[in-house]
Amino acid sequence: MHKAILFDLDGTLHNRPKSLVTFFRDQCERFSMNVDLNRFVELDNEGMRWKDEVYEQLVKEYQLPLDPQQLLADYVTLFPRFAQLYPDVEHTLEQLKAKDYKLGIISNGKKGFQRAVFNSLSINEYFESVIISDEVGLRKPDARIFALGIEQLNVQPEQALYVGDQYDTDIIGSRNKGLKAAWKTNEQVDSDAHFQFSSWRQFIPKLQQLEGETWSSAKQK
Amino acid sequence: MHKAILFDLDGTLHNRPKSLVTFFRDQCERFSMNVDLNRFVELDNEGMRWKDEVYEQLVKEYQLPLDPQQLLADYVTLFPRFAQLYPDVEHTLEQLKAKDYKLGIISNGKKGFQRAVFNSLSINEYFESVIISDEVGLRKPDARIFALGIEQLNVQPEQALYVGDQYDTDIIGSRNKGLKAAWKTNEQVDSDAHFQFSSWRQFIPKLQQLEGETWSSAKQK
């Protein structure tokens, strides 16, 4: 039985793709920018690229009469306010808390900024430990940041489960430190396949779900 | 509602990892080879490398008094007899057949050899179309091999679902031709993560499964 559950933030609890789109629509309006949303999302590359480069590129590509630094400052200040959770996250945390799991966060991200995103999600009350890579000078998949996480919750690796969406960073990383791992497959994966299964016992039920009502009627002779 | 379902063979219907291990144990015994099974599996690289190279490497590494060509010939002849299905495959195919789905196979593989593997699985009766890449001179993810598959079943792309375990080859490939796609996550993925989920609604049930009986008792205060 596990005693602690630690979570990644972006793409796991924080619906960053949705937050980003909502924020950028708002930013475009406020700065009267006519920029393709998809291009912004593409340049962002799932948060892999920091926004200074992204805005510099956008200003160049779209010949915007704007200062990239001003857009960056606007992003740093306002993006956290647009941060939103995936559906059912809060209810899940409540249930885990009720079962006495110790909960923690281990997130790669910029000091201050990532903390602001976390605070904006209004889930502080559930967590005993919140680690941001830039604050501690370690980044996932470094085993030492997972060691820090379980140390702060006062549990052994094998008593902890790590939940994340980046396979190499989160799953391989936490497994290397001896934690159990749960993989949240991201929306990219979900949207390319119409469904996913790991044993054939799951296949028919998932197919029926995809087919909807028609399974029981149309195919019957 | 879909009219046709097409399947990848190795890693999807055919439990190739298990077949390979069973075959190789037998081969080691017959040739009195003392070779680490894991090394063989590693060199095979999930079937990405054809066996001539694998056996040449093994003979060199283990200084075996054997001819790599003889081991290869043995593999080509006998491996297909060890081919076995994943659990529940046959029952699934029966149910799909009963619902009047047209079923097909699109498999990358060597002429003759891959056909022998397929025949050995004893599921011929379920399929109206069986395409082996080497026989038709096209390989997944080439859109034309998916076009051929649906043509043989006489359906439109959007009426067909493709089921496979290789994300780029099977899922991206079939999606590019306009088919629906179902992704069978392979055992490698399953074994590194303790479970997998795509929406938070699935999290607690899967966690309960992982925790087993203890969820309802031990954590209750």
Side-chain angles (χ1 to χ4, degrees):
Chain A
M1 184 72 184
H2 300 101
K3 292 186 173 173
I5 304 181
L6 293 116
F7 300 85
D8 166 55
L9 198 55
D10 292 343
T12 300
L13 302 176
H14 173 210
N15 190 343
R16 187 178 178 280
K18 201 168 170 189
S19 308
L20 194 70
V21 164
T22 320
F23 161 78
F24 191 65
R25 284 216 178 93
D26 185 78
Q27 190 180 44
C28 282
E29 209 168 293
R30 286 183 294 105
F31 285 88
S32 307
M33 296 191 289
N34 191 8
V35 168
D36 182 9
L37 177 65
N38 293 324
R39 183 57 182 147
F40 178 72
V41 169
E42 191 181 48
L43 287 171
D44 171 69
N45 191 21
E46 295 183 23
M48 291 300 137
R49 214 192 224 157
W50 184 235
K51 287 305 146 302
D52 55 352
E53 284 180 39
V54 172
Y55 284 119
E56 259 172 45
Q57 182 68 26
L58 281 186
V59 164
K60 210 181 293 172
E61 262 184 48
Y62 288 85
Q63 303 186 304
L64 302 173
L66 293 163
D67 176 5
Q69 285 306 316
Q70 191 192 356
L71 292 169
L72 176 65
D74 181 75
Y75 171 81
V76 171
T77 314
L78 289 184
F79 175 78
R81 298 196 201 165
F82 288 83
Q84 53 191 304
L85 296 167
Y86 283 103
D88 300 309
V89 164
E90 190 147 13
H91 181 58
T92 304
L93 295 174
E94 258 167 36
Q95 289 181 75
L96 296 175
K97 225 35 208 167
K99 285 286 182 185
D100 284 336
Y101 284 102
K102 296 178 180 186
L103 305 183
I105 299 275
I106 301 176
S107 168
N108 282 351
K110 295 245 176 208
K111 214 183 288 199
F113 179 79
Q114 195 68 344
R115 184 74 55 180
V117 167
F118 175 70
N119 289 335
S120 165
L121 293 170
S122 304
I123 48 174
N124 309 52
E125 59 180 304
Y126 299 106
F127 295 94
E128 293 175 37
S129 158
V130 177
I131 295 172
I132 313 290
S133 63
D134 193 23
E135 291 178 0
V136 298
L138 297 165
R139 276 180 76 79
K140 295 179 289 181
D142 191 325
R144 289 172 298 174
I145 198 168
F146 293 102
L148 196 61
I150 56 169
E151 191 190 306
Q152 291 198 357
L153 295 180
N154 198 23
V155 296
Q156 297 302 308
E158 66 276 11
Q159 297 174 318
L161 176 74
Y162 191 74
V163 186
D165 73 312
Q166 296 286 329
Y167 194 73
D168 291 345
T169 312
D170 295 326
I171 306 309
I172 304 292
S174 57
R175 299 283 288 123
N176 281 344
K177 184 61 205 168
L179 284 75
K180 301 282 190 301
W183 189 26
K184 178 171 189 289
T185 51
N186 62 42
E187 308 211 314
Q188 184 57 44
V189 167
D190 289 347
S191 67
D192 281 341
H194 292 79
F195 65 87
Q196 203 173 312
F197 65 107
S198 57
S199 81
W200 280 99
R201 203 174 283 267
Q202 306 165 335
F203 184 77
I204 297 276
K206 295 214 173 185
L207 178 65
Q208 287 173 329
Q209 228 176 334
L210 179 70
E211 300 287 31
E213 288 306 310
T214 50
W215 170 273
S216 46
S217 49
K219 276 281 165 181
Q220 216 93 34
K221 266 206 170 159
Chain B
M1 185 71 183
H2 301 100
K3 293 185 172 173
I5 304 181
L6 293 117
F7 300 84
D8 165 56
L9 198 55
D10 291 344
T12 300
L13 301 177
H14 173 211
N15 190 344
R16 188 178 178 281
K18 201 168 169 190
S19 308
L20 194 70
V21 164
T22 320
F23 161 78
F24 190 66
R25 284 217 179 92
D26 185 78
Q27 190 180 44
C28 281
E29 210 168 294
R30 286 184 293 106
F31 285 87
S32 307
M33 295 192 289
N34 191 9
V35 168
D36 182 8
L37 177 66
N38 292 324
R39 183 59 182 147
F40 178 72
V41 169
E42 190 181 49
L43 286 171
D44 171 70
N45 191 20
E46 293 181 22
M48 292 299 136
R49 214 192 224 157
W50 185 234
K51 286 308 145 302
D52 54 353
E53 285 180 39
V54 172
Y55 285 119
E56 258 173 46
Q57 181 68 26
L58 281 187
V59 164
K60 210 181 294 171
E61 262 183 49
Y62 288 84
Q63 302 186 302
L64 303 172
L66 294 162
D67 176 6
Q69 286 306 315
Q70 191 192 356
L71 292 169
L72 175 66
D74 181 75
Y75 172 80
V76 170
T77 313
L78 289 184
F79 175 78
R81 298 197 200 163
F82 288 83
Q84 53 190 305
L85 296 168
Y86 283 103
D88 299 309
V89 164
E90 189 147 13
H91 181 56
T92 304
L93 295 174
E94 258 168 35
Q95 288 181 75
L96 296 175
K97 225 34 209 168
K99 285 286 182 184
D100 283 336
Y101 284 101
K102 296 177 180 185
L103 305 183
I105 298 276
I106 301 177
S107 168
N108 282 351
K110 296 243 176 209
K111 216 183 286 200
F113 178 80
Q114 194 68 345
R115 183 75 54 180
V117 168
F118 176 71
N119 289 335
S120 165
L121 294 170
S122 304
I123 48 175
N124 309 51
E125 59 179 304
Y126 299 106
F127 295 94
E128 294 176 36
S129 158
V130 177
I131 295 172
I132 312 291
S133 63
D134 193 24
E135 291 178 0
V136 297
L138 296 165
R139 275 181 77 80
K140 296 181 289 182
D142 191 324
R144 291 172 297 174
I145 198 168
F146 294 101
L148 194 61
I150 56 170
E151 191 190 306
Q152 291 197 359
L153 295 180
N154 197 23
V155 296
Q156 297 302 309
E158 66 276 9
Q159 297 174 318
L161 176 74
Y162 190 75
V163 186
D165 73 312
Q166 296 286 328
Y167 194 73
D168 292 344
T169 311
D170 295 327
I171 306 308
I172 304 291
S174 56
R175 299 283 288 123
N176 281 345
K177 183 62 204 168
L179 284 76
K180 300 282 189 302
W183 189 26
K184 179 169 188 290
T185 51
N186 62 41
E187 309 212 314
Q188 184 57 44
V189 166
D190 290 345
S191 66
D192 282 341
H194 292 79
F195 65 88
Q196 202 173 313
F197 66 106
S198 59
S199 81
W200 280 98
R201 204 174 282 268
Q202 306 166 335
F203 184 77
I204 297 278
K206 295 215 172 186
L207 178 65
Q208 287 174 329
Q209 228 176 336
L210 180 68
E211 300 286 32
E213 287 307 310
T214 51
W215 170 273
S216 45
S217 49
K219 276 282 165 183
Q220 215 94 35
K221 266 205 171 163

